[in-house]
Amino acid sequence: MMIWLKRSLFAKLLVGMLVSAIIPYSLSNIISYNTTSNSMALQVIELNQNLMTINMENVKRYFHDLNRVSVSFYQDQTLIHYLRSTEALPVQILYINNQVDNLYRNRPEFRAIRYISGINEHRYTSSDVGVTVQNSTILIPKSEEEYWDNDRKYEVNILGKEKVLILHKLLVDYPNPKVLGLLSIHVGLDEIGRLIRSHSKPSTGDRVFLYIHQDLNLLYASGEGDKLKKGDRIPESKLPGNQGSYKGELDGREGVFIYVKDQFMDLPLTMVKFVPVADINESANRTLNQSLFIQFIAIAFVIILASVLSYVTISPVKRLLRSIVRVESGNFDIQLTTGRKDELGVLEIRFQNMIRNLDDLMNREYRNRLELTTAQLKMLQAQINPHFLYNTLQSIGTLALRHGSEEINDKIAELGAILRYSMDLKTETVTLQMEIKHIEHYMSLQTGRFKNRLSYTLSCPNEAFQVRVPKMILQPLIENSIVHGIEKGRGSGTLHISIELDQVFCIRIIDNGKGMDPDTIKRIYREYSDFQLPSGQEGGIGLINVLQRLRLYYGQHFDWEIQSTPYEVTVISLRISTDCLTREGIEIEDIDS
């Protein structure tokens, strides 16, 4: 660490600015944290009381909906008629049971519905399968005017293994005060629990309890279990007023009990929520983190500022070092200058100008060597007098015709066309149609030589025939495929020449010969990237010469690729952008129009 500080100006600047910023921030955070924690506890209590008040209103509306369930009985005059009857005929029993079943299916949280007739004391029950509804001990009054204990209207009980709320509702024969019977609705607590927790943020620490009656009969408890431990019971003396809070423990955890009281008709309701101290501190920490956000931004700004200062000073030096490494490896593609006007910017410009001049000198040397090789090739071609060769071949062809050998005459004519095409030293570019015609003569001689061991196909769209290309770019590639691929492979094979003209002018030479191993392909790519001339190992102009000629002719518009799977398929692809092609002096874009 100390060595890094001694050797790096950036490190010294960064550490100094961080120390000067962090120490004051840390002292202010310690002071503000204590103040924020106390105020946050009050905010948590107030927020929860407001949410509990809303949830209490939802519970009251739900109790109101439950009380209105029995209204459907009054809308069925046939049912009311049967309920008034002192007899229990089978048709009446069946009809009443159906209506009780319909009421049971009215809500998914209903666990059981029981109707006890106050006239003939007959009982009608609809409940979940396997659940037994206990007999009620509530005495049914004869008239609505008789006293009926309101505390008995709502009862907490166990149905099967589930705690339920039992709502007892008297059916009165309006407008008469006579009581027809007692309707008992056993309601599961799923919906009540959802209403209580609907506006609360999910938490694993807090718990919510709902009590009914004045003696705090526990109806619902969130979390595990539905009962409080004996030492955790909430006494009525700790709940003065309609709402408030007090500190205490629940399940061995310290926290705050927040309560809200209300009343539905004559039924007292009390909702209590226990919030652990850990959750209150978490809220305080979250609020404090929001206040620290600006301070963190300031510290980040210090780091960014120090980094920018270091980058502005050191980055030009690093770019020069990277450029020197690329030049040492033979790569003269140097990045453009940044436009700086200071001393480092001038140094970059001078270095790049030096590398550009060096690259130009090497390219000129390469072109000179390539021109020397081409001149040597032309000298070899010129050693034979073309006119003498043409006249001699024509005489041999005439002699073959006299002896009835038309095939020999055709082959000699094709050979003459090949020599005439290749020895035309004045022409550097030709139409693709002429290049293809030359290839057809060449392949005719090769298929005649190989007989049935060599076959070839050629596909080319008509609009590509008049595209001008450098002369003699196809024959060296096809000759390599035959000599090094097919002849040195199985001795037989197929060759396909595919030419496409769309967004890109593409030429593909495809064969199923010996192919190339990965090392050979890497060597070809390396020689191409290093601007190496052909070594002569492949004979003739060779693949590298063709690639270098196309690169010099088309520049960055030329691209190529080799793919080879030995004895299956070898593909040499030449791709040229249509932006730089011409068709007998007309730009390629005019072809489609």
Side-chain angles (χ1 to χ4, degrees):
M1 179 68 177
M2 295 302 298
I3 297 176
W4 180 58
L5 287 174
K6 291 180 180 179
R7 294 183 176 179
S8 175
L9 179 61
F10 167 70
K12 295 176 183 178
L13 180 63
L14 179 61
V15 171
M17 297 183 71
L18 287 177
V19 169
S20 62
I22 291 177
I23 291 179
Y25 289 157
S26 300
L27 293 176
S28 64
N29 290 338
I30 294 174
I31 296 173
S32 62
Y33 179 78
N34 295 327
T35 304
T36 305
S37 297
N38 295 330
S39 62
M40 195 63 206
L42 297 177
Q43 293 180 14
V44 169
I45 293 174
E46 182 180 0
L47 177 62
N48 279 280
Q49 284 179 340
N50 294 334
L51 293 177
M52 291 167 64
T53 301
I54 296 174
N55 294 336
M56 182 68 81
E57 291 297 325
N58 293 334
V59 172
K60 289 169 59 178
R61 282 195 293 268
Y62 181 67
F63 273 75
H64 180 71
D65 292 342
L66 293 178
N67 275 274
R68 293 175 57 87
V69 169
S70 60
V71 174
S72 61
F73 275 31
Y74 293 103
Q75 297 174 352
D76 191 339
Q77 296 299 322
T78 302
L79 177 62
I80 296 297
H81 175 72
Y82 288 160
L83 295 179
R84 293 170 180 164
S85 176
T86 57
E87 299 179 346
L89 299 178
V91 64
Q92 296 176 350
I93 295 174
L94 179 61
Y95 191 86
I96 296 174
N97 276 328
N98 288 337
Q99 297 306 313
V100 171
D101 286 339
N102 292 335
L103 184 61
Y104 166 69
R105 297 185 182 92
N106 190 29
R107 288 178 177 266
E109 66 268 24
F110 286 174
R111 301 294 183 263
I113 302 292
R114 165 168 284 187
Y115 175 74
I116 303 177
S117 176
I119 297 177
N120 53 27
E121 298 183 357
H122 197 83
R123 298 172 184 267
Y124 305 88
T125 304
S126 181
S127 64
D128 292 340
V129 178
V131 175
T132 302
V133 180
Q134 299 178 357
N135 293 328
S136 176
T137 58
I138 297 179
L139 297 177
I140 304 176
K142 298 298 183 181
S143 173
E144 185 183 19
E145 299 174 351
E146 295 183 18
Y147 173 76
W148 195 44
D149 189 1
N150 287 327
D151 290 342
R152 304 301 298 275
K153 292 181 180 179
Y154 300 91
E155 180 182 356
V156 180
N157 209 330
I158 301 297
L159 183 62
K161 296 182 179 180
E162 180 184 6
K163 177 184 286 189
V164 295
L165 169 67
I166 304 178
L167 171 62
H168 299 290
K169 183 72 174 179
L170 293 177
L171 290 182
V172 181
D173 189 14
Y174 294 111
N176 298 322
K178 181 179 179 181
V179 176
L180 298 177
L182 176 66
L183 182 65
S184 299
I185 305 174
H186 298 65
V187 184
L189 304 181
D190 297 341
E191 183 65 18
I192 294 177
R194 187 188 67 80
L195 294 174
I196 290 176
R197 306 288 297 196
S198 60
H199 294 87
S200 299
K201 182 179 179 180
S203 174
T204 58
D206 61 2
R207 295 187 67 187
V208 183
F209 308 92
L210 180 63
Y211 301 90
I212 61 175
H213 301 147
Q214 197 65 35
D215 57 351
L216 298 182
N217 188 7
L218 180 61
L219 172 62
Y220 171 80
S222 66
E224 297 182 359
D226 57 359
K227 294 183 179 180
L228 292 174
K229 297 179 181 179
K230 184 176 182 181
D232 295 332
R233 291 188 178 278
I234 301 175
E236 174 65 22
S237 60
K238 289 191 175 183
L239 306 177
N242 291 329
Q243 64 180 19
S245 63
Y246 67 92
K247 295 182 179 180
E249 291 186 1
L250 180 65
D251 297 334
R253 295 179 299 168
E254 295 184 357
V256 177
F257 288 90
I258 307 169
Y259 64 89
V260 172
K261 291 183 178 180
D262 208 330
Q263 186 168 314
F264 172 73
M265 295 184 177
D266 296 330
L267 177 67
L269 299 174
T270 303
M271 187 180 297
V272 180
K273 183 174 184 179
F274 173 77
V275 181
V277 174
D279 288 359
I280 296 178
N281 291 337
E282 180 183 359
S283 301
N285 292 334
R286 185 167 53 252
T287 302
L288 182 61
N289 291 336
Q290 294 176 355
S291 65
L292 292 175
F293 181 70
I294 298 178
Q295 299 178 7
F296 288 148
I297 292 178
I299 295 175
F301 178 76
V302 171
I303 298 175
I304 293 174
L305 179 60
S307 301
V308 169
L309 291 175
S310 175
Y311 176 79
V312 170
T313 305
I314 300 175
S315 60
V317 179
K318 291 184 176 180
R319 281 199 298 271
L320 285 174
L321 292 175
R322 290 195 296 267
S323 299
I324 292 173
V325 172
R326 285 198 294 269
V327 171
E328 289 177 347
S329 63
N331 184 2
F332 290 86
D333 186 13
I334 305 301
Q335 297 179 356
L336 297 177
T337 59
T338 58
R340 294 181 55 159
K341 302 300 182 181
D342 55 8
E343 291 82 358
L344 291 175
V346 173
L347 179 61
E348 280 190 288
I349 293 174
R350 296 292 177 84
F351 177 77
Q352 290 169 3
N353 290 336
M354 180 186 69
I355 296 302
R356 191 178 298 108
N357 293 333
L358 181 60
D359 188 29
D360 291 340
L361 290 174
M362 294 186 64
N363 285 335
R364 284 199 296 270
E365 181 183 359
Y366 173 77
R367 289 188 179 93
N368 292 334
R369 293 175 60 190
L370 186 61
E371 290 175 359
L372 178 60
T373 303
T374 305
Q376 292 174 350
L377 175 63
K378 292 181 178 180
M379 289 176 62
L380 292 175
Q381 294 174 339
Q383 288 179 358
I384 302 177
N385 189 312
H387 294 288
F388 169 76
L389 186 59
Y390 300 155
N391 294 334
T392 302
L393 291 176
Q394 187 176 5
S395 299
I396 297 174
T398 303
L399 182 60
L401 285 176
R402 291 176 180 176
H403 290 78
S405 299
E406 296 182 359
E407 182 180 358
I408 295 176
N409 178 68
D410 293 340
K411 298 301 180 184
I412 291 175
E414 290 173 350
L415 178 58
I418 292 176
L419 293 175
R420 186 180 300 109
Y421 182 81
S422 61
M423 290 184 178
D424 183 6
L425 304 180
K426 297 179 181 180
T427 305
E428 295 184 0
T429 61
V430 295
T431 62
L432 183 63
Q433 186 176 19
M434 294 179 63
E435 188 76 0
I436 291 176
K437 186 176 181 180
H438 172 68
I439 292 303
E440 289 177 342
H441 291 322
Y442 176 79
M443 290 304 300
S444 176
L445 295 178
Q446 289 287 18
T447 53
R449 173 191 168 200
F450 282 88
K451 301 301 180 182
N452 296 329
R453 293 183 293 116
L454 174 64
S455 61
Y456 85 99
T457 57
L458 188 147
S459 60
C460 177
N462 293 332
E463 58 268 21
F465 283 152
Q466 300 306 316
V467 174
R468 299 198 68 85
V469 295
K471 185 179 176 182
M472 296 289 291
I473 62 171
L474 293 182
Q475 180 184 336
L477 305 182
I478 296 173
E479 186 175 356
N480 281 345
S481 296
I482 296 175
V483 175
H484 300 287
I486 297 175
E487 190 172 359
K488 291 185 179 181
R490 299 188 181 93
S492 62
T494 59
L495 179 67
H496 179 62
I497 306 164
S498 173
I499 300 175
E500 300 173 2
L501 179 60
D502 193 4
Q503 299 297 327
V504 176
F505 178 58
C506 182
I507 300 175
R508 292 187 178 90
I509 309 299
I510 307 170
D511 68 78
N512 61 348
K514 181 180 178 181
M516 305 181 191
D517 55 60
D519 293 336
T520 302
I521 297 177
K522 290 180 181 178
R523 177 181 59 80
I524 295 174
Y525 275 99
R526 184 174 61 254
E527 291 180 356
Y528 178 82
S529 61
D530 294 341
F531 284 89
Q532 295 183 12
L533 290 174
S535 60
Q537 297 176 355
E538 301 297 331
I541 328 179
L543 172 61
I544 290 296
N545 195 301
V546 172
L547 297 177
Q548 300 292 17
R549 287 176 60 207
L550 290 172
R551 172 159 66 176
L552 290 174
Y553 194 83
Y554 294 110
Q556 63 181 359
H557 297 283
F558 168 67
D559 187 21
W560 62 280
E561 182 183 14
I562 297 178
Q563 298 175 341
S564 180
T565 301
Y567 297 101
E568 290 186 10
V569 62
T570 298
V571 182
I572 299 177
S573 302
L574 309 177
R575 292 183 290 269
I576 304 170
S577 175
T578 56
D579 296 336
C580 63
L581 294 180
T582 58
R583 177 180 178 271
E584 291 293 353
I586 302 174
E587 293 297 327
I588 280 298
E589 286 79 359
D590 297 335
I591 292 177
D592 295 335
S593 60

